[in-house]
Short mmCIF file of all heavy atoms in Angstrom, two decimals:
data_model
loop_
_atom_site.label_atom_id
_atom_site.label_comp_id
_atom_site.label_asym_id
_atom_site.label_seq_id
_atom_site.Cartn_x
_atom_site.Cartn_y
_atom_site.Cartn_z
N GLY Q 46 76.42 109.60 241.52
CA GLY Q 46 77.39 108.52 241.61
C GLY Q 46 77.00 107.31 242.44
O GLY Q 46 77.85 106.51 242.79
N CYS Q 47 75.72 107.16 242.81
CA CYS Q 47 75.33 105.96 243.57
C CYS Q 47 74.27 105.22 242.83
O CYS Q 47 73.76 105.66 241.80
CB CYS Q 47 74.75 106.39 244.94
SG CYS Q 47 76.02 106.77 246.19
N HIS Q 63 75.02 106.82 253.22
CA HIS Q 63 76.04 107.72 252.76
C HIS Q 63 75.76 108.31 251.40
O HIS Q 63 76.34 109.35 251.01
CB HIS Q 63 77.47 107.12 252.91
CG HIS Q 63 77.87 106.15 251.86
ND1 HIS Q 63 77.81 104.79 252.02
CD2 HIS Q 63 78.38 106.33 250.63
CE1 HIS Q 63 78.27 104.17 250.97
NE2 HIS Q 63 78.63 105.08 250.06
N TRP Q 191 85.47 100.39 255.48
CA TRP Q 191 86.27 99.40 254.69
C TRP Q 191 86.63 98.17 255.51
O TRP Q 191 87.58 97.45 255.20
CB TRP Q 191 87.57 100.03 254.19
CG TRP Q 191 87.43 101.17 253.28
CD1 TRP Q 191 87.75 102.47 253.56
CD2 TRP Q 191 86.98 101.18 251.93
NE1 TRP Q 191 87.53 103.27 252.46
CE2 TRP Q 191 87.03 102.50 251.45
CE3 TRP Q 191 86.51 100.18 251.04
CZ2 TRP Q 191 86.66 102.88 250.17
CZ3 TRP Q 191 86.13 100.52 249.78
CH2 TRP Q 191 86.22 101.87 249.30
N LYS Q 309 91.27 103.35 251.87
CA LYS Q 309 91.14 102.49 250.72
C LYS Q 309 92.49 102.23 250.08
O LYS Q 309 92.88 101.13 249.74
CB LYS Q 309 90.16 103.06 249.71
CG LYS Q 309 90.02 102.21 248.49
CD LYS Q 309 89.17 102.84 247.44
CE LYS Q 309 89.73 102.44 246.08
NZ LYS Q 309 88.81 102.72 244.99
N THR Q 623 82.70 94.62 242.86
CA THR Q 623 82.07 95.92 242.95
C THR Q 623 83.12 97.00 243.08
O THR Q 623 84.33 96.72 243.35
CB THR Q 623 81.23 95.98 244.24
OG1 THR Q 623 82.03 95.65 245.38
CG2 THR Q 623 80.07 95.04 244.18
N THR Q 624 82.74 98.19 242.89
CA THR Q 624 83.61 99.34 243.18
C THR Q 624 82.76 100.54 243.56
O THR Q 624 81.55 100.47 243.64
CB THR Q 624 84.55 99.60 241.99
OG1 THR Q 624 85.54 100.56 242.35
CG2 THR Q 624 83.76 100.15 240.80
N GLY Q 625 83.44 101.68 243.80
CA GLY Q 625 82.71 102.93 244.09
C GLY Q 625 81.68 103.16 243.05
O GLY Q 625 81.93 103.04 241.83
N GLY Q 626 80.46 103.51 243.45
CA GLY Q 626 79.34 103.65 242.51
C GLY Q 626 78.36 102.56 242.69
O GLY Q 626 77.19 102.69 242.41
N ASN Q 627 78.86 101.40 243.14
CA ASN Q 627 78.01 100.29 243.50
C ASN Q 627 77.32 100.55 244.86
O ASN Q 627 76.53 99.72 245.31
CB ASN Q 627 78.77 98.95 243.59
CG ASN Q 627 78.79 98.23 242.24
OD1 ASN Q 627 79.86 97.91 241.76
ND2 ASN Q 627 77.64 97.98 241.66
N SER Q 628 77.68 101.64 245.50
CA SER Q 628 76.99 101.97 246.75
C SER Q 628 75.51 102.06 246.52
O SER Q 628 75.06 102.76 245.63
CB SER Q 628 77.50 103.30 247.30
OG SER Q 628 78.66 103.12 248.00
N ASN Q 643 74.22 96.75 248.93
CA ASN Q 643 75.64 96.87 248.93
C ASN Q 643 76.08 98.27 249.47
O ASN Q 643 75.47 99.28 249.15
CB ASN Q 643 76.17 96.72 247.51
CG ASN Q 643 77.69 96.76 247.43
OD1 ASN Q 643 78.35 95.87 247.84
ND2 ASN Q 643 78.21 97.91 246.92
N PHE Q 644 77.19 98.28 250.27
CA PHE Q 644 77.68 99.61 250.64
C PHE Q 644 79.17 99.71 250.81
O PHE Q 644 79.72 100.78 250.98
CB PHE Q 644 76.99 100.13 251.91
CG PHE Q 644 77.36 99.38 253.19
CD1 PHE Q 644 78.30 99.92 254.05
CD2 PHE Q 644 76.76 98.21 253.52
CE1 PHE Q 644 78.67 99.23 255.24
CE2 PHE Q 644 77.08 97.52 254.69
CZ PHE Q 644 78.01 98.06 255.56
N ASP Q 645 79.93 98.61 250.72
CA ASP Q 645 81.35 98.73 250.92
C ASP Q 645 82.10 97.47 250.50
O ASP Q 645 81.43 96.49 250.05
CB ASP Q 645 81.68 98.97 252.45
CG ASP Q 645 82.91 99.83 252.66
OD1 ASP Q 645 83.53 100.20 251.69
OD2 ASP Q 645 83.22 100.11 253.83
N ARG Q 646 83.41 97.49 250.54
CA ARG Q 646 84.22 96.29 250.37
C ARG Q 646 85.08 96.12 251.61
O ARG Q 646 85.28 97.08 252.37
CB ARG Q 646 85.18 96.45 249.17
CG ARG Q 646 84.57 96.15 247.85
CD ARG Q 646 85.51 96.51 246.73
NE ARG Q 646 85.59 97.94 246.55
CZ ARG Q 646 86.49 98.56 245.76
NH1 ARG Q 646 87.37 97.84 245.09
NH2 ARG Q 646 86.46 99.86 245.63
N1 LIG W 6 81.20 102.88 249.46
C1 LIG W 6 81.51 102.86 248.06
C2 LIG W 6 80.71 103.90 247.24
O1 LIG W 6 80.38 104.91 247.68
C3 LIG W 6 81.30 101.48 247.51
C4 LIG W 6 82.26 100.65 248.10
C5 LIG W 6 83.35 100.26 247.15
O2 LIG W 6 84.12 101.09 246.67
O3 LIG W 6 83.36 99.06 246.95
O4 LIG W 6 80.45 103.74 246.10
#
Side-chain angles (χ1 to χ4, degrees):
C47 278
H63 78 261
W191 299 110
K309 179 186 145 165
T623 55
T624 189
N627 271 124
S628 275
N643 183 72
F644 70 98
D645 212 0
R646 277 173 286 171

